[in-house]
PDB file of all heavy atoms in Angstrom:
ATOM      1  N   TYR A  33      67.865 155.803 -89.544  1.00 95.00           N
ATOM      2  CA  TYR A  33      67.761 157.070 -90.292  1.00 95.00           C
ATOM      3  C   TYR A  33      68.936 157.210 -91.211  1.00 95.00           C
ATOM      4  O   TYR A  33      70.090 156.840 -90.868  1.00 95.00           O
ATOM      5  CB  TYR A  33      67.891 158.326 -89.316  1.00 95.00           C
ATOM      6  CG  TYR A  33      66.834 158.237 -88.137  1.00 95.00           C
ATOM      7  CD1 TYR A  33      67.272 157.493 -87.026  1.00 95.00           C
ATOM      8  CD2 TYR A  33      65.623 158.859 -88.170  1.00 95.00           C
ATOM      9  CE1 TYR A  33      66.391 157.337 -85.877  1.00 95.00           C
ATOM     10  CE2 TYR A  33      64.819 158.864 -87.015  1.00 95.00           C
ATOM     11  CZ  TYR A  33      65.195 158.032 -85.951  1.00 95.00           C
ATOM     12  OH  TYR A  33      64.362 157.902 -84.853  1.00 95.00           O
ATOM     13  N   GLN A  48      63.736 157.641 -92.985  1.00 93.00           N
ATOM     14  CA  GLN A  48      63.693 156.890 -91.739  1.00 93.00           C
ATOM     15  C   GLN A  48      62.897 155.636 -91.916  1.00 93.00           C
ATOM     16  O   GLN A  48      61.876 155.659 -92.642  1.00 93.00           O
ATOM     17  CB  GLN A  48      62.969 157.694 -90.659  1.00 93.00           C
ATOM     18  CG  GLN A  48      62.857 156.952 -89.311  1.00 93.00           C
ATOM     19  CD  GLN A  48      62.000 157.609 -88.377  1.00 93.00           C
ATOM     20  OE1 GLN A  48      61.337 158.578 -88.689  1.00 93.00           O
ATOM     21  NE2 GLN A  48      61.760 157.012 -87.172  1.00 93.00           N
ATOM     22  N   ARG A  55      59.054 155.312 -92.364  1.00 89.00           N
ATOM     23  CA  ARG A  55      58.400 156.190 -91.341  1.00 89.00           C
ATOM     24  C   ARG A  55      58.343 157.683 -91.756  1.00 89.00           C
ATOM     25  O   ARG A  55      57.345 158.363 -91.474  1.00 89.00           O
ATOM     26  CB  ARG A  55      59.053 155.967 -90.069  1.00 89.00           C
ATOM     27  CG  ARG A  55      58.305 156.609 -88.916  1.00 89.00           C
ATOM     28  CD  ARG A  55      57.047 155.813 -88.533  1.00 89.00           C
ATOM     29  NE  ARG A  55      56.401 156.376 -87.406  1.00 89.00           N
ATOM     30  CZ  ARG A  55      55.431 157.375 -87.486  1.00 89.00           C
ATOM     31  NH1 ARG A  55      55.121 157.794 -88.654  1.00 89.00           N
ATOM     32  NH2 ARG A  55      54.848 157.721 -86.345  1.00 89.00           N
ATOM     33  N   ALA A  56      59.404 158.141 -92.301  1.00 88.00           N
ATOM     34  CA  ALA A  56      59.496 159.567 -92.639  1.00 88.00           C
ATOM     35  C   ALA A  56      60.406 159.710 -93.854  1.00 88.00           C
ATOM     36  O   ALA A  56      61.423 158.982 -93.994  1.00 88.00           O
ATOM     37  CB  ALA A  56      60.017 160.393 -91.484  1.00 88.00           C
ATOM     38  N   SER A  97      60.339 155.080 -82.791  1.00 69.00           N
ATOM     39  CA  SER A  97      60.056 155.932 -83.947  1.00 69.00           C
ATOM     40  C   SER A  97      60.142 157.503 -83.687  1.00 69.00           C
ATOM     41  O   SER A  97      60.775 158.132 -84.316  1.00 69.00           O
ATOM     42  CB  SER A  97      58.764 155.595 -84.536  1.00 69.00           C
ATOM     43  OG  SER A  97      58.418 156.440 -85.618  1.00 69.00           O
ATOM     44  N   GLU A  98      59.511 157.798 -82.568  1.00 67.00           N
ATOM     45  CA  GLU A  98      59.504 159.223 -82.137  1.00 67.00           C
ATOM     46  C   GLU A  98      60.606 159.470 -81.068  1.00 67.00           C
ATOM     47  O   GLU A  98      60.195 159.645 -79.879  1.00 67.00           O
ATOM     48  CB  GLU A  98      58.148 159.688 -81.694  1.00 67.00           C
ATOM     49  CG  GLU A  98      57.085 159.688 -82.801  1.00 67.00           C
ATOM     50  CD  GLU A  98      56.374 158.322 -82.929  1.00 67.00           C
ATOM     51  OE1 GLU A  98      56.265 157.685 -81.815  1.00 67.00           O
ATOM     52  OE2 GLU A  98      55.981 157.995 -84.000  1.00 67.00           O
ATOM     53  N   THR A  99      61.819 159.368 -81.411  1.00 66.00           N
ATOM     54  CA  THR A  99      62.853 159.502 -80.354  1.00 66.00           C
ATOM     55  C   THR A  99      63.799 160.576 -80.994  1.00 66.00           C
ATOM     56  O   THR A  99      64.232 160.435 -82.087  1.00 66.00           O
ATOM     57  CB  THR A  99      63.610 158.166 -80.190  1.00 66.00           C
ATOM     58  OG1 THR A  99      62.728 157.149 -79.830  1.00 66.00           O
ATOM     59  CG2 THR A  99      64.649 158.390 -79.104  1.00 66.00           C
ATOM     60  N   ASP A 100      64.036 161.614 -80.177  1.00 69.00           N
ATOM     61  CA  ASP A 100      64.871 162.655 -80.649  1.00 69.00           C
ATOM     62  C   ASP A 100      66.322 162.270 -80.594  1.00 69.00           C
ATOM     63  O   ASP A 100      67.206 162.795 -81.330  1.00 69.00           O
ATOM     64  CB  ASP A 100      64.650 163.967 -79.785  1.00 69.00           C
ATOM     65  CG  ASP A 100      63.233 164.438 -79.982  1.00 69.00           C
ATOM     66  OD1 ASP A 100      62.633 164.236 -81.048  1.00 69.00           O
ATOM     67  OD2 ASP A 100      62.757 165.036 -78.957  1.00 69.00           O
ATOM     68  N   GLN A 102      69.238 160.418 -81.573  1.00 90.00           N
ATOM     69  CA  GLN A 102      69.764 159.561 -82.574  1.00 90.00           C
ATOM     70  C   GLN A 102      71.267 159.396 -82.400  1.00 90.00           C
ATOM     71  O   GLN A 102      72.023 160.333 -82.254  1.00 90.00           O
ATOM     72  CB  GLN A 102      69.432 160.125 -83.938  1.00 90.00           C
ATOM     73  CG  GLN A 102      67.876 160.262 -84.150  1.00 90.00           C
ATOM     74  CD  GLN A 102      67.507 160.876 -85.548  1.00 90.00           C
ATOM     75  OE1 GLN A 102      68.364 160.948 -86.383  1.00 90.00           O
ATOM     76  NE2 GLN A 102      66.317 161.457 -85.588  1.00 90.00           N
TER      77      GLN A 102
ATOM     78  N   PRO B  92      64.115 168.615 -83.941  1.00 86.00           N
ATOM     79  CA  PRO B  92      63.313 167.682 -84.671  1.00 86.00           C
ATOM     80  C   PRO B  92      62.177 168.316 -85.273  1.00 86.00           C
ATOM     81  O   PRO B  92      61.605 169.287 -84.755  1.00 86.00           O
ATOM     82  CB  PRO B  92      62.864 166.646 -83.576  1.00 86.00           C
ATOM     83  CG  PRO B  92      62.846 167.417 -82.321  1.00 86.00           C
ATOM     84  CD  PRO B  92      64.019 168.440 -82.498  1.00 86.00           C
ATOM     85  N   ASP B  93      61.804 167.761 -86.443  1.00 79.00           N
ATOM     86  CA  ASP B  93      60.530 168.304 -87.158  1.00 79.00           C
ATOM     87  C   ASP B  93      59.344 167.682 -86.559  1.00 79.00           C
ATOM     88  O   ASP B  93      59.035 166.544 -86.798  1.00 79.00           O
ATOM     89  CB  ASP B  93      60.678 167.995 -88.630  1.00 79.00           C
ATOM     90  CG  ASP B  93      59.595 168.528 -89.380  1.00 79.00           C
ATOM     91  OD1 ASP B  93      58.548 169.060 -88.841  1.00 79.00           O
ATOM     92  OD2 ASP B  93      59.574 168.491 -90.679  1.00 79.00           O
ATOM     93  N   ARG B  94      58.596 168.393 -85.749  1.00 69.00           N
ATOM     94  CA  ARG B  94      57.428 167.911 -85.037  1.00 69.00           C
ATOM     95  C   ARG B  94      56.126 168.396 -85.715  1.00 69.00           C
ATOM     96  O   ARG B  94      55.073 168.450 -85.141  1.00 69.00           O
ATOM     97  CB  ARG B  94      57.540 168.307 -83.578  1.00 69.00           C
ATOM     98  CG  ARG B  94      58.547 167.678 -82.722  1.00 69.00           C
ATOM     99  CD  ARG B  94      58.296 166.282 -82.477  1.00 69.00           C
ATOM    100  NE  ARG B  94      59.367 165.580 -81.676  1.00 69.00           N
ATOM    101  CZ  ARG B  94      59.316 165.382 -80.381  1.00 69.00           C
ATOM    102  NH1 ARG B  94      58.316 165.767 -79.673  1.00 69.00           N
ATOM    103  NH2 ARG B  94      60.328 164.731 -79.809  1.00 69.00           N
ATOM    104  N   MET B  95      56.235 168.923 -86.896  1.00 67.00           N
ATOM    105  CA  MET B  95      55.062 169.511 -87.572  1.00 67.00           C
ATOM    106  C   MET B  95      53.976 168.497 -87.822  1.00 67.00           C
ATOM    107  O   MET B  95      52.760 168.689 -87.758  1.00 67.00           O
ATOM    108  CB  MET B  95      55.500 170.198 -88.893  1.00 67.00           C
ATOM    109  CG  MET B  95      56.336 171.425 -88.656  1.00 67.00           C
ATOM    110  SD  MET B  95      55.675 172.677 -87.573  1.00 67.00           S
ATOM    111  CE  MET B  95      56.445 172.391 -86.038  1.00 67.00           C
ATOM    112  N   THR B  96      54.355 167.261 -88.210  1.00 64.00           N
ATOM    113  CA  THR B  96      53.463 166.129 -88.323  1.00 64.00           C
ATOM    114  C   THR B  96      54.035 164.922 -87.594  1.00 64.00           C
ATOM    115  O   THR B  96      55.219 164.848 -87.501  1.00 64.00           O
ATOM    116  CB  THR B  96      53.161 165.770 -89.827  1.00 64.00           C
ATOM    117  OG1 THR B  96      54.381 165.171 -90.331  1.00 64.00           O
ATOM    118  CG2 THR B  96      52.807 167.016 -90.608  1.00 64.00           C
ATOM    119  N   THR B  97      53.167 163.979 -87.209  1.00 61.00           N
ATOM    120  CA  THR B  97      53.636 162.870 -86.495  1.00 61.00           C
ATOM    121  C   THR B  97      54.588 161.962 -87.454  1.00 61.00           C
ATOM    122  O   THR B  97      55.356 161.192 -86.964  1.00 61.00           O
ATOM    123  CB  THR B  97      52.551 161.958 -86.019  1.00 61.00           C
ATOM    124  OG1 THR B  97      51.646 161.652 -86.978  1.00 61.00           O
ATOM    125  CG2 THR B  97      51.731 162.763 -84.896  1.00 61.00           C
ATOM    126  N   ASP B  98      54.378 162.052 -88.699  1.00 62.00           N
ATOM    127  CA  ASP B  98      55.195 161.301 -89.682  1.00 62.00           C
ATOM    128  C   ASP B  98      56.590 161.856 -89.836  1.00 62.00           C
ATOM    129  O   ASP B  98      57.423 161.229 -90.465  1.00 62.00           O
ATOM    130  CB  ASP B  98      54.454 161.242 -91.093  1.00 62.00           C
ATOM    131  CG  ASP B  98      53.295 160.407 -91.048  1.00 62.00           C
ATOM    132  OD1 ASP B  98      53.109 159.558 -90.098  1.00 62.00           O
ATOM    133  OD2 ASP B  98      52.495 160.453 -91.977  1.00 62.00           O
ATOM    134  N   SER B  99      56.807 163.092 -89.317  1.00 64.00           N
ATOM    135  CA  SER B  99      58.142 163.671 -89.574  1.00 64.00           C
ATOM    136  C   SER B  99      58.941 163.772 -88.317  1.00 64.00           C
ATOM    137  O   SER B  99      59.997 164.310 -88.293  1.00 64.00           O
ATOM    138  CB  SER B  99      57.917 165.068 -90.216  1.00 64.00           C
ATOM    139  OG  SER B  99      57.286 165.939 -89.255  1.00 64.00           O
ATOM    140  N   TRP B 100      58.519 163.197 -87.166  1.00 65.00           N
ATOM    141  CA  TRP B 100      59.162 163.291 -85.965  1.00 65.00           C
ATOM    142  C   TRP B 100      60.621 162.811 -85.979  1.00 65.00           C
ATOM    143  O   TRP B 100      61.468 163.229 -85.142  1.00 65.00           O
ATOM    144  CB  TRP B 100      58.352 162.653 -84.770  1.00 65.00           C
ATOM    145  CG  TRP B 100      57.279 163.470 -84.290  1.00 65.00           C
ATOM    146  CD1 TRP B 100      56.640 164.473 -84.905  1.00 65.00           C
ATOM    147  CD2 TRP B 100      56.687 163.318 -82.929  1.00 65.00           C
ATOM    148  NE1 TRP B 100      55.655 164.904 -84.043  1.00 65.00           N
ATOM    149  CE2 TRP B 100      55.717 164.302 -82.907  1.00 65.00           C
ATOM    150  CE3 TRP B 100      57.088 162.485 -81.870  1.00 65.00           C
ATOM    151  CZ2 TRP B 100      54.975 164.457 -81.734  1.00 65.00           C
ATOM    152  CZ3 TRP B 100      56.246 162.666 -80.686  1.00 65.00           C
ATOM    153  CH2 TRP B 100      55.281 163.606 -80.624  1.00 65.00           C
ATOM    154  N   GLY B 101      60.883 161.860 -86.802  1.00 71.00           N
ATOM    155  CA  GLY B 101      62.241 161.348 -86.861  1.00 71.00           C
ATOM    156  C   GLY B 101      63.257 162.250 -87.562  1.00 71.00           C
ATOM    157  O   GLY B 101      64.404 161.990 -87.593  1.00 71.00           O
ATOM    158  N   LYS B 102      62.742 163.291 -88.241  1.00 83.00           N
ATOM    159  CA  LYS B 102      63.648 164.084 -89.056  1.00 83.00           C
ATOM    160  C   LYS B 102      64.293 165.133 -88.171  1.00 83.00           C
ATOM    161  O   LYS B 102      63.584 166.034 -87.616  1.00 83.00           O
ATOM    162  CB  LYS B 102      62.806 164.770 -90.129  1.00 83.00           C
ATOM    163  CG  LYS B 102      63.526 165.750 -90.946  1.00 83.00           C
ATOM    164  CD  LYS B 102      62.548 166.441 -91.954  1.00 83.00           C
ATOM    165  CE  LYS B 102      63.185 167.533 -92.719  1.00 83.00           C
ATOM    166  NZ  LYS B 102      62.224 168.253 -93.686  1.00 83.00           N
ATOM    167  N   LEU B 103      65.493 165.141 -88.070  1.00 88.00           N
ATOM    168  CA  LEU B 103      66.289 166.158 -87.447  1.00 88.00           C
ATOM    169  C   LEU B 103      66.746 167.159 -88.427  1.00 88.00           C
ATOM    170  O   LEU B 103      67.249 166.946 -89.542  1.00 88.00           O
ATOM    171  CB  LEU B 103      67.568 165.645 -86.729  1.00 88.00           C
ATOM    172  CG  LEU B 103      67.314 164.792 -85.461  1.00 88.00           C
ATOM    173  CD1 LEU B 103      68.655 164.336 -84.871  1.00 88.00           C
ATOM    174  CD2 LEU B 103      66.548 165.620 -84.382  1.00 88.00           C
TER     175      LEU B 103
END
Side-chain angles (χ1 to χ4, degrees):
Chain A
Y33 313 79
Q48 176 198 2
R55 189 72 178 91
S97 177
E98 293 90 29
T99 308
D100 298 328
Q102 298 178 17
Chain B
D93 183 349
R94 295 282 178 103
M95 294 300 103
T96 69
T97 54
D98 287 344
S99 64
W100 276 28
K102 173 185 175 184
L103 286 181

